[in-house]
C-alpha cells in the first residue's frame, strides 16, 4: 500500500465521521505532524461548478484538469469508463506526510476507529464484522462493548491511541 502510516475513521452515514476526522487533523497538526486525508464518497460528487473554465475543460473531454494558484492546487481526474481507483492507488499519489487519516472505506483492511451516534444506533455496529476496527468513538454509553470505547468528543485520547498504535514519528516531511 504505502509506507506512510494510515488510520481510518469508519461508521454509518451521520455517525460523526467527518467531524471526528477534522478534529483529529487539527489535533495531530497541533502536535507537529504533517497530515493528509482521503475521504471516500459513495455518491456522484463534483468539486467543480458548471460554467467554470475547469468544468468546461472536463466537459470538452480532458482526462485530468489541474487547477493551480499561488495558494493551492487541485487535480481532478475523470474516470469516464474506468473503474474507481483502489485505496492503495490513491495513497500512492499523495505527497509524503507523517499520517494519512482515511474517512470511509469500510471494507479496507487498515486500522480504524468506528464512530457511533445515538441517531444511527438502529444501523447496528460495524466492529463485529471488521477485525480492523480497534476502538469505538460514541456519544452514548456502550457498557457491553469489548473494544476500547472513547467519548466521541475525546479527540486527544483518540489521537494518543492512534499515535501509540502506529508508533508515529514526526518526520517533518
Amino acid at each position: 500500500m504505502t509506507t506512510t502510516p494510515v488510520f481510518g475513521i469508519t461508521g454509518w452515514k451521520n455517525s460523526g465521521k467527518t467531524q471526528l476526522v477534522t478534529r483529529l487533523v487539527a489535533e495531530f497538526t497541533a502536535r507537529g505532524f504533517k497530515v493528509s486525508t482521503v475521504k471516500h464518497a459513495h455518491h456522484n460528487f463534483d468539486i467543480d461548478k458548471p460554467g467554470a473554465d475547469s468544468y468546461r475543460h472536463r466537459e470538452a473531454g480532458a482526462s485530468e484538469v489541474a487547477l493551480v494558484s499561488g495558494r493551492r492546487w487541485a487535480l481532478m481526474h475523470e474516470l469516464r469508463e474506468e473503474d474507481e481507483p483502489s485505496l492503495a492507488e490513491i495513497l500512492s499519489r499523495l505527497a509524503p506526510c507523517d499520517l494519512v487519516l482515511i474517512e470511509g472505506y469500510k471494507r479496507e483492511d487498515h486500522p480504524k476507529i468506528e464512530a457511533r451516534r445515538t441517531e444511527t444506533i438502529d444501523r447496528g455496529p460495524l466492529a463485529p464484522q471488521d477485525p480492523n476496527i480497534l476502538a469505538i468513538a460514541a456519544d452514548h454509553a456502550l457498557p457491553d462493548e469489548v473494544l476500547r470505547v472513547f467519548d466521541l468528543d475525546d479527540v486527544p485520547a483518540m489521537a494518543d491511541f492512534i499515535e501509540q498504535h502506529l508508533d508515529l514519528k514526526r518526520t517533518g516531511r
Side-chain angles (χ1 to χ4, degrees):
M1 198 183 269
T2 178
T3 57
T4 302
V6 300
F7 204 96
I9 302 300
T10 193
W12 297 112
K13 182 178 179 181
N14 297 321
S15 62
K17 297 182 304 292
T18 300
Q19 182 179 23
L20 183 50
V21 169
T22 58
R23 293 175 73 193
L24 283 167
V25 168
E27 179 71 24
F28 280 112
T29 301
R31 293 179 184 201
F33 290 99
K34 184 174 181 182
V35 182
S36 293
T37 64
V38 175
K39 176 179 173 42
H40 189 256
H42 290 285
H43 47 280
N44 188 16
F45 75 95
D46 200 337
I47 60 171
D48 213 356
K49 295 181 178 152
D53 292 346
S54 53
Y55 185 92
R56 292 171 57 202
H57 292 190
R58 289 187 305 127
E59 288 296 300
S63 295
E64 289 190 326
V65 176
L67 272 74
V68 183
S69 77
R71 296 208 180 265
R72 71 187 54 89
W73 69 273
L75 178 64
M76 291 179 286
H77 179 94
E78 286 296 308
L79 290 176
R80 309 270 182 228
E81 302 301 319
E82 302 168 54
D83 290 335
E84 178 180 320
S86 69
L87 177 58
E89 289 173 282
I90 296 302
L91 291 172
S92 73
R93 296 189 75 157
L94 295 178
C97 62
D98 298 318
L99 170 65
V100 178
L101 290 173
I102 299 169
E103 180 180 341
Y105 286 98
K106 284 185 192 83
R107 290 163 184 75
E108 297 290 332
D109 64 357
H110 55 275
K112 304 174 196 105
I113 290 176
E114 179 183 350
R116 296 185 193 167
R117 280 196 177 139
T118 305
E119 64 195 61
T120 60
I121 206 164
D122 61 325
R123 302 289 313 267
L126 296 171
Q129 289 77 41
D130 187 348
N132 297 297
I133 294 176
L134 307 179
I136 310 298
D139 68 353
H140 55 282
L142 297 168
D144 299 325
E145 182 58 59
V146 295
L147 296 176
R148 175 131 181 222
V149 178
F150 295 98
D151 182 284
L152 197 53
D153 289 323
D154 195 355
V155 174
M158 283 182 270
D160 289 343
F161 177 80
I162 293 168
E163 189 172 346
Q164 291 165 5
H165 177 77
L166 295 176
D167 192 27
L168 287 182
K169 306 285 187 250
R170 291 166 192 80
T171 62
R173 292 192 259 190

